[in-house]
Amino acid sequence: SSDLARPRSGGTPFLEAVPRSPVFASMPNPVAVFDTTKGKFEAEIFLDRTPITASNFIDLAQSGFYNGIHFHRVIPDFMNQFGCPHAKNPAARNAGTGGPPDGTFQNLKTGATEQRRGGGNIKDEHTSRDSNEPGTLSMANTGAPNTGGSQ
């Protein structure tokens, strides 16, 4: 059975029906529900294509990491960025520079233990051919290898 994550105040993402044990191929990808001051939207999380990145996002969302975090970068008709813990203060000058704490999380596709290290960074995944089309979610990085974390 699945644990249901509950919506939290502060306009932050939560996940519905996200299993806490390895996902089998026959199960659908989880859906994240983002509850913002501008309304709600849903996004399929591609656990089947990017299991490390998806599992990291799910772990952070379920832990409450994203609760109260504001979109710190909004470029109309291009992109919106969130996920920096410094952005809990909407006036923070260092918004966009932070990440999650180092630690471990479970890969929900394989059951393996994955690492966040060096400032909460995860391993890159170059297995998916998905693009950054309008309406997609992406994990930001610094441009250097293995520097995605929570944004």
Side-chain angles (χ1 to χ4, degrees):
S1 88
S2 298
D3 293 322
L4 295 180
R6 303 288 179 221
R8 309 205 185 193
S9 63
T12 55
F14 64 95
L15 299 165
E16 294 182 340
V18 177
R20 291 191 183 268
S21 58
V23 175
F24 299 102
S26 62
M27 294 183 72
N29 282 326
V31 173
V33 179
F34 297 81
D35 186 10
T36 77
T37 57
K38 299 288 186 179
K40 291 183 182 182
F41 66 93
E42 297 181 356
E44 179 181 0
I45 305 301
F46 292 149
L47 184 62
D48 60 339
R49 299 182 208 172
T50 57
I52 296 170
T53 305
S55 296
N56 176 61
F57 173 79
I58 290 166
D59 180 69
L60 292 172
Q62 288 182 329
S63 75
F65 176 85
Y66 293 109
N67 293 346
I69 292 180
H70 295 259
F71 286 87
H72 64 270
R73 186 174 183 207
V74 177
I75 303 172
D77 300 318
F78 176 58
M79 56 84 75
N80 299 323
Q81 188 171 347
F82 76 97
C84 175
H86 303 308
K88 287 188 178 193
N89 172 359
R93 291 181 173 259
N94 60 347
T97 64
D102 289 353
T104 60
F105 60 96
Q106 183 182 27
N107 183 317
L108 297 173
K109 183 175 181 182
T110 67
T113 298
E114 302 289 351
Q115 298 269 328
R116 281 188 212 97
R117 61 179 82 167
N121 298 321
I122 60 172
K123 291 188 285 186
D124 288 339
E125 293 180 282
H126 299 289
T127 57
S128 179
R129 296 285 183 218
D130 297 308
S131 65
N132 292 322
E133 294 294 322
T136 61
L137 296 178
S138 300
M139 177 67 69
N141 62 46
T142 68
N146 304 313
T147 57
S150 60
Q151 298 186 42

